[in-house]
Amino acid sequence: MPSPIRRLLAAVLVIAFSALPLPGTAGAAMIPTDAASPRTADGDIARTRLAAALARPALAEQLAALGLAPEEAARRVAALDDATAIDASAHLDRVPAGGAILGVVVFVVAVLFLTEALGITRIFSFARR
């Protein structure tokens, strides 16, 4: 025979669990991208700048070499959300054409100067002791 404490505990648990809400059904539906993130004027300006950059022949050739048609690139730019378009547009200002090459050249020259200073190479005649 169960003790009175066990009966009381069982009654409390039955009442507590019966008071829990039953899971309901969730209503979910597909929404268009524009409804999820509405476009702003800043995003439109950024997408226009990106489209203008894609229209440059040198960039179009590089994209074609990578297997991306210019039309597909334009569609992808048009589909960007505002935050991504603004970030990519700002990145265009920070990285000028050929900027990566300049960094590589500076790095190579710095390494050559370092090896010359350590006496490993004899490339620069003005750096000799």
Side-chain angles (χ1 to χ4, degrees), residues 87-107:
D87 185 44
S89 176
H91 187 68
L92 286 176
D93 295 335
R94 285 184 265 140
V95 180
I101 302 280
L102 180 63
V104 170
V105 169
V106 169
F107 176 74

Side-chain angles (χ1 to χ4, degrees), residues 20 23 25 33 35 57 60 69 71 81 91 119:
L20 288 176
T25 58
T33 303
E71 298 82 22
D81 64 302
H91 187 68

Side-chain angles (χ1 to χ4, degrees), residues 23-52:
T25 58
M30 296 293 291
I31 60 171
T33 303
D34 295 338
S37 62
R39 294 183 180 251
T40 62
D42 292 338
D44 290 337
I45 292 169
R47 275 186 285 281
T48 303
R49 288 190 63 220
L50 289 171

Side-chain angles (χ1 to χ4, degrees), residues 2-104:
S3 70
I5 294 177
R6 284 190 179 179
R7 281 188 197 178
L8 179 64
L9 181 61
V12 168
L13 287 175
V14 166
I15 292 171
F17 283 119
S18 65
L20 288 176
L22 297 175
T25 58
M30 296 293 291
I31 60 171
T33 303
D34 295 338
S37 62
R39 294 183 180 251
T40 62
D42 292 338
D44 290 337
I45 292 169
R47 275 186 285 281
T48 303
R49 288 190 63 220
L50 289 171
L54 287 174
R56 287 186 272 181
L59 185 57
E61 289 174 8
Q62 287 180 346
L63 290 174
L66 293 172
L68 182 65
E71 298 82 22
E72 177 64 22
R75 279 194 298 271
R76 290 182 184 187
V77 166
L80 289 175
D81 64 302
D82 286 345
T84 307
I86 291 169
D87 185 44
S89 176
H91 187 68
L92 286 176
D93 295 335
R94 285 184 265 140
V95 180
I101 302 280
L102 180 63
V104 170

